[in-house]
């Protein structure tokens, strides 16, 4: 789960969106991601793991991405957070959407600096309008453009995934969609 204090997932998103996500409770973080058009879903429907290392995962069952894609009609791309998630990219690639591998935000990925991870995440999220150019002027809410845009995205994603959109796990794929 991205609750580990050294996991940089929420910090990176907060930096990209100019929002202090780390001070917000978990449900508010999920709501912010959805409002910005970012849905997060576990690669695994179930698995067993002792501790927090991905290498400890066993008896894993991959989620049904085809069923999710049918419900997410505005899905534009999938980005895998790290190598364990990426191991299953053939399942997400079968959907016919662009699939990206992002560097893991896990503290186990110490070979990548925060700045390097932030740059990689910014590059992909910008392609889909989910992050701003670092030089873009933001309004008082930390967002650009139509203020209702993010709310419409969140509503659509919530409808499409039937309440599973904020089930965050340490092995996650990030779903990028627009109206």
């Amino acid at each position: 789960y991205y609750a580990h204090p050294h996991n940089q997932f929420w910090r990176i998103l907060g930096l990209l969106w100019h929002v202090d996500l780390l001070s917000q409770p978990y449900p508010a973080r999920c709501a912010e991601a959805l409002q910005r058009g970012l849905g997060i879903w576990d690669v695994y429907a179930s698995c067993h793991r002792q501790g927090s290392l991905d290498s400890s995962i066993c008896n894993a069952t991959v989620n049904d991405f085809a069923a999710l894609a049918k419900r997410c009609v505005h899905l534009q791309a999938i980005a895998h957070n790290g190598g364990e998630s990426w191991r299953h990219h053939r399942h997400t690639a079968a959907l016919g959407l662009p699939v990206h591998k992002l560097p893991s935000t896990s503290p186990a990925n110490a070979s990548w600096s925060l700045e390097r991870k932030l740059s990689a995440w910014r590059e992909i999220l910008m392609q889909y309008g989910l992050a701003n150019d670092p030089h873009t002027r933001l309004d008082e809410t930390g967002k650009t453009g139509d203020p209702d845009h993010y709310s419409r995205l969140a509503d659509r994603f919530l409808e499409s995934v039937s309440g599973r959109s904020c089930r965050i796990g340490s092995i996650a794929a990030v779903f990028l969609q627009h109206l």
Side-chain angles (χ1 to χ4, degrees), residues 23-37:
S23 68
Q24 295 182 20
Y26 182 75
R29 294 176 190 185
C30 292
E32 183 72 27
L34 286 172
Q35 287 175 3
R36 299 210 179 236

Side-chain angles (χ1 to χ4, degrees), residues 2-179:
Y2 296 126
H4 188 285
H6 297 292
N7 192 300
Q8 296 175 323
F9 179 79
W10 295 111
R11 183 173 182 195
I12 286 170
L13 292 181
L15 289 169
L16 291 173
W17 297 334
H18 307 279
V19 175
D20 182 9
L21 292 173
L22 295 175
S23 68
Q24 295 182 20
Y26 182 75
R29 294 176 190 185
C30 292
E32 183 72 27
L34 286 172
Q35 287 175 3
R36 299 210 179 236
L38 186 74
I40 306 158
W41 213 46
D42 292 336
V43 167
Y44 296 130
S46 65
C47 69
H48 296 282
R49 175 172 59 181
Q50 190 161 5
S52 61
L53 293 176
D54 293 347
S55 60
S56 299
I57 293 172
C58 61
N59 301 324
T61 302
V62 177
N63 257 319
D64 185 352
F65 293 108
L68 178 68
K70 286 179 185 175
R71 294 189 312 257
C72 296
V73 296
H74 299 287
L75 189 61
Q76 289 190 331
I78 298 167
H80 290 270
N81 182 2
E84 181 66 23
S85 176
W86 180 253
R87 282 187 41 215
H88 304 286
H89 73 278
R90 68 186 180 283
H91 297 286
T92 55
L95 302 175
L97 299 167
V99 177
H100 305 277
K101 180 182 181 185
L102 288 168
S104 174
T105 58
S106 166
N109 186 15
S111 65
W112 281 63
S113 68
L114 173 63
E115 293 76 21
R116 189 173 170 204
K117 291 176 190 178
L118 180 64
S119 177
W121 279 73
R122 176 181 285 121
E123 180 182 337
I124 298 302
L125 269 61
M126 280 181 61
Q127 288 181 37
Y128 300 95
L130 302 181
N132 302 313
D133 183 293
H135 306 293
T136 300
R137 183 174 167 84
L138 303 175
D139 67 17
E140 66 279 355
T141 65
K143 301 174 184 173
T144 60
D146 174 10
D148 295 324
H149 172 76
Y150 298 108
S151 294
R152 287 194 306 272
L153 286 174
D155 291 345
R156 284 289 177 102
F157 196 84
L158 283 170
E159 289 170 14
S160 64
V161 298
S162 304
R164 291 185 53 129
S165 56
C166 267
R167 190 172 157 263
I168 310 290
S170 61
I171 311 302
V174 179
F175 294 84
L176 315 169
Q177 69 173 21
H178 277 256
L179 292 177

